């Protein structure tokens, strides 16, 4: 069976293409490369010894989508394509709503036309409200997002679950990711952010490799075990395997189901810094600075539903995540750019 992977050249998409190929699926990718490099797909093919089909283009391009569905027998779609920088979404809200919402609307319109209505969507823990008890369950409160990016995830969940309610032929899986980090153990594919990284791990690896001077730790006065923010970091390979499990689930069910993809364990910024230093034996200068606006103290998942229903559990440790992130960055100091 072929899976259409939108945004497949990106960080999570490329790791998922690899796991899909390893699991025996055919893979067709559409990506406009607005935040990725097609070398990621060449490397996926090199690592698996299998080929995938790549269409360079935008998911909002209805004619291109029709052509892809005509030229390929697709059994399921995984929809990663989207813009994901929280800060940028505040300064460019229209671009975020246009890209992230219209891509889903056009994609589902064409899927309905061709009668292939199985879709897995990349949602985020950001849809949960800040006032929830931890750990976050799929039934925890959602909404109240603090930036347009978060609203696009919330609204896309509403669009897709509404479709499933109205039209019983849809099979929709909403996957709420926690904090994906790490890279494939080969060090050949990984996260390659453009410009100054917003997220913790790419910032750490760029400091360690000498591209940035020092890590700024945003606040050490939170109500956590060492005062720094606590998150549920999940290895991107575990996350990718969660998508393979979700494809199987989507093919066997209809309706709309939501799953957390996290480990269930929270680590602080300083846990991350110390583990990264210990595992990789590299210097990692940091300074404590003011809190970053919009951050919360603690966020971690209850992954029980994914374990029980999808049969999926994250297996990799924080040390694995730190080792693999560094293996990728140290072997590719400029990412795919050289
Ligand atoms: P990424 O930027 O590496 O990958 C997204 C890919 O989509 C890129 O290759 C980009 O070129 C492509 N793309 C964007 N808009 C497109 C469009 N209109 N048409 C075609 N291609 C388009 O990001 P990622 O980290 O791999 O994230 C994948 C998905 O998971 C995104 O939807 C993101 O919001 C979601 N997500 C990511 C995280 C995270 O921390 N990385 C957490 C939760 C959810
Ligand atoms: C993690 C921790 C920071 C950078 C974001 C999005 C979320 C989701 C995942 C897509 C926090 C601290 C960070 C730095 C630091 N993405 N930090 N110095 O904020 O949990 O989640 O990415 O859906 O929507 O909001 O991740 O990696 O930015 O931060 O001290 O230079 O690291 O304060 O405690 P976050 P993050």
């Amino acid at each position: 069976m072929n899976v259409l992977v939108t945004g497949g050249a990106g960080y999570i998409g490329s790791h998922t293409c690899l796991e899909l190929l390893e699991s025996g699926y055919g893979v067709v990718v559409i990506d406009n490369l607005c935040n990725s490099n097609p070398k990621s797909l060449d490397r996926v093919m090199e690592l698996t010894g299998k080929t995938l089909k790549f269409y360079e283009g935008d998911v909002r391009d209805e004619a291109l989508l029709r052509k892809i569905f005509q030229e390929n027998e697709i059994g399921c779609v995984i929809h990663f394509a989207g813009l994901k920088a929280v800060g940028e979404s505040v300064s460019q809200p229209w671009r975020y709503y246009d890209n992230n919402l219209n891509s889903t609307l056009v994609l589902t319109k064409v899927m309905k036309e061709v009668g292939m209505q199985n879709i897995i969507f990349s949602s985020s823990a950001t849809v949960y409200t800040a006032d929830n008890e931890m750990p976050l369950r799929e039934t925890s409160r959602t909404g109240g997002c603090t930036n347009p990016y978060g609203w696009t995830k919330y609204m896309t969940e509403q669009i897709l679950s509404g479709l499933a309610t109205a039209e019983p032929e849809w099979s929709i899986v909403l996957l709420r990711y926690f904090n994906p980090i790490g890279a494939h153990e080969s060090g050949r594919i990984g996260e390659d952010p453009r410009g100054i990284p917003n997220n913790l791990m790419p910032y750490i690896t760029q400091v360690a490799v000498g591209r940035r001077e020092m890590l700024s730790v945003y606040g050490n006065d939170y109500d956590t075990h060492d005062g720094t923010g606590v998150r549920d970091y999940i290895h991107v390979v575990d996350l990718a395997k969660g998508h393979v499990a979700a494809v199987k689930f989507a093919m066997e069910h209809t309706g709309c189901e939501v799953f957390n993809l996290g480990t269930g364990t929270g680590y602080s910024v300083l846990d991350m810094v110390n583990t990264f230093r210990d595992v990789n034996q590299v210097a990692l200068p940091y300074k404590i600075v003011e809190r970053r606006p919009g951050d919360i103290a603690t966020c971690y998942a209850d992954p029980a539903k994914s374990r029980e229903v999808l049969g999926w559990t994250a297996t990799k440790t924080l040390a694995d995540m730190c080792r693999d992130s560094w293996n990728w960055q140290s072997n590719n100091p400029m990412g795919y750019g050289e």
Side-chain angles (χ1 to χ4, degrees), residues 1-273:
M1 185 185 94
N2 294 318
V3 180
L4 174 62
V5 183
T6 78
Y11 172 46
I12 306 171
S14 56
H15 287 82
T16 303
C17 288
L18 187 150
E19 294 301 328
L20 287 167
L21 289 170
E22 298 281 24
S23 303
Y25 291 100
V27 172
V28 179
V29 170
I30 175 174
D31 198 306
N32 65 7
L33 305 178
C34 69
N35 195 39
S36 54
N37 188 312
K39 280 186 196 166
S40 62
L41 296 174
D42 295 337
R43 293 187 183 183
V44 165
M45 291 192 269
E46 162 204 305
L47 287 166
T48 57
K50 296 181 179 177
T51 53
L52 55 73
K53 205 160 162 186
F54 174 49
Y55 292 83
E56 182 176 344
D58 198 294
V59 182
R60 291 165 294 177
D61 180 344
E62 228 173 286
L64 175 61
L65 280 185
R66 284 201 189 92
K67 178 173 139 75
I68 293 174
F69 281 105
Q70 268 159 17
E71 291 181 355
N72 304 277
E73 185 83 25
I74 304 290
C76 188
V77 175
I78 307 182
H79 182 31
F80 290 109
L83 301 173
K84 64 162 181 178
V86 171
E88 189 180 68
S89 81
V90 175
S91 55
Q92 301 176 24
W94 193 88
R95 181 169 163 246
Y96 271 69
Y97 287 118
D98 177 36
N99 194 78
N100 293 4
L101 299 182
N102 280 328
S103 62
T104 307
L105 291 171
V106 171
L107 177 62
T108 48
K109 179 182 174 192
V110 176
M111 287 174 68
K112 189 171 157 61
E113 266 175 33
V114 300
M116 199 294 293
Q117 289 166 261
N118 308 317
I119 181 168
I120 291 155
F121 173 65
S122 300
S123 191
S124 169
T126 198
V127 300
Y128 290 114
T129 58
D131 59 357
N132 278 296
E133 297 279 298
M134 295 298 141
L136 293 163
R137 299 193 173 82
E138 288 81 353
T139 49
S140 297
R141 282 181 300 284
T142 59
C145 302
T146 53
N147 56 76
Y149 168 74
W151 280 119
T152 69
K153 293 296 174 193
Y154 179 84
M155 289 178 192
T156 304
E157 287 201 358
Q158 299 300 311
I159 292 167
L160 292 174
S161 63
L163 274 183
T165 304
E167 302 172 6
E169 50 281 12
W170 284 97
S171 174
I172 293 171
V173 178
L174 308 175
L175 298 178
R176 293 181 182 152
Y177 314 155
F178 282 67
N179 290 58
I181 61 169
H184 188 259
E185 62 180 7
S186 63
R188 296 289 290 155
I189 56 173
E191 186 171 14
D192 183 18
R194 298 199 170 161
I196 301 172
N198 302 300
N199 296 113
L200 179 61
M201 183 54 99
Y203 207 102
I204 286 179
T205 58
Q206 290 195 9
V207 171
V209 85
R211 279 172 67 179
R212 318 254 161 224
E213 196 186 338
M214 190 175 292
L215 173 71
S216 294
V217 174
Y218 298 137
N220 66 351
D221 57 353
Y222 286 105
D223 183 17
T224 63
H225 63 272
D226 61 18
T228 64
V230 166
R231 298 290 183 275
D232 186 337
Y233 297 97
I234 173 168
H235 196 295
V236 67
V237 171
D238 277 332
L239 191 69
K241 289 181 173 161
H243 290 74
V244 178
V247 168
K248 184 167 181 290
F249 178 86
M251 299 309 293
E252 293 167 353
H253 297 82
T254 53
C256 180
E257 282 292 337
V258 52
F259 297 99
N260 284 337
L261 292 184
T263 66
T265 304
Y267 290 103
S268 72
V269 179
L270 292 182
D271 290 335
M272 183 82 100
V273 168

Side-chain angles (χ1 to χ4, degrees), residues 278-290:
D278 291 350
V279 169
N280 298 315
Q281 297 294 305
V282 286
L284 191 58
Y286 72 85
K287 61 181 176 199
I288 307 288
V289 301
E290 290 293 292

